[in-house]
Amino acid sequence: MVPITKKAFMPGELVHTNQIMVLLGDNYFLETSAKQAQAICSRRLNECDKLLEELQKELELVQGWKSQAKELEEESEGCKDIREEYTEQELESWRKNHRESVRRERMAAAKSDKGVSSKPEQSDEDLWARLEELEVREALEKEWEEESSGDERVDEEDGEDEDEDEDEDEDE
């Protein structure tokens, strides 16, 4: 007799006792040996344990966030919001004054821009003359730099020659 429920039994025989049907998922089953079924079950249990540990870590993070939020709430109980009372008339007068000051600023900026652009423009001849002047100045500066660096080299070479002369006098 094979038990079906606690109280129901049916006549039957056990055949292929080492073969077990294992659910793979999506109603797919695999017929395997008891040893392979045990390995599948142990892998699934390990995955469940890993998932449980990750969830535990997440829970600890969430609890930490909750405790920090409570601490901030307790700290903020002594604080007050800054609120300024105003009426619609005050707001409208502020807007009107603000518009007027913005207009004045724009007009002042426009006047200053007109003043800048009112400079007489230079002709092409004046621009080319100024460019020539700047090129001559740059060339002179390069010459002065070369002369000053050349003088330093000459001084260094003279100092080395004097040292060699002194060495030769000592040898004689």
Side-chain angles (χ1 to χ4, degrees):
M1 297 295 275
V2 178
I4 295 178
T5 63
K6 289 184 179 180
K7 296 182 179 180
F9 292 93
M10 282 186 84
E13 293 181 13
L14 294 175
V15 180
H16 302 287
T17 57
N18 196 29
Q19 291 181 349
I20 298 174
M21 300 280 285
V22 177
L23 176 65
L24 297 177
D26 290 337
N27 286 331
Y28 286 104
F29 290 90
L30 177 67
E31 197 171 283
T32 62
S33 67
K35 189 172 184 177
Q36 290 174 339
Q38 183 183 10
I40 291 171
C41 288
S42 65
R43 282 196 302 268
R44 288 182 180 173
L45 284 173
N46 287 337
E47 288 297 319
C48 288
D49 289 341
K50 287 179 185 177
L51 192 69
L52 189 63
E53 288 174 8
E54 290 173 4
L55 289 174
Q56 188 66 29
K57 287 179 184 177
E58 259 187 69
L59 180 64
E60 289 173 8
L61 282 173
V62 169
Q63 288 174 346
W65 294 336
K66 282 175 84 175
S67 66
Q68 287 178 351
K70 275 189 176 181
E71 288 175 11
L72 286 174
E73 182 182 358
E74 290 170 1
E75 288 177 9
S76 67
E77 285 178 359
C79 298
K80 293 183 181 180
D81 288 338
I82 298 174
R83 296 185 186 202
E84 292 185 21
E85 298 293 329
Y86 66 93
T87 62
E88 290 296 321
Q89 292 173 346
E90 291 174 349
L91 181 63
E92 192 59 37
S93 67
W94 179 86
R95 285 181 181 164
K96 187 176 180 180
N97 292 336
H98 181 67
R99 283 188 207 123
E100 290 175 10
S101 64
V102 167
R103 277 192 208 125
R104 278 185 260 135
E105 288 293 323
R106 287 184 182 163
M107 292 176 79
K111 286 180 182 178
S112 67
D113 289 343
K114 288 179 184 177
V116 170
S117 62
S118 65
K119 281 187 177 180
E121 292 187 19
Q122 294 180 341
S123 67
D124 287 341
E125 294 173 3
D126 294 337
L127 289 173
W128 285 109
R130 176 71 175 148
L131 182 62
E132 187 70 31
E133 179 185 331
L134 292 172
E135 286 177 351
V136 168
R137 180 183 290 174
E138 186 179 336
L140 285 172
E141 288 175 356
K142 282 184 181 179
E143 285 182 25
W144 292 335
E145 285 179 15
E146 289 174 5
E147 287 177 7
S148 64
S149 63
D151 291 342
E152 291 173 5
R153 288 185 196 145
V154 170
D155 291 341
E156 290 174 4
E157 290 174 2
D158 289 342
E160 290 175 6
D161 290 341
E162 290 175 6
D163 293 336
E164 290 176 6
D165 291 338
E166 290 175 7
D167 291 337
E168 289 177 7
D169 290 337
E170 291 175 5
D171 291 338
E172 293 176 2

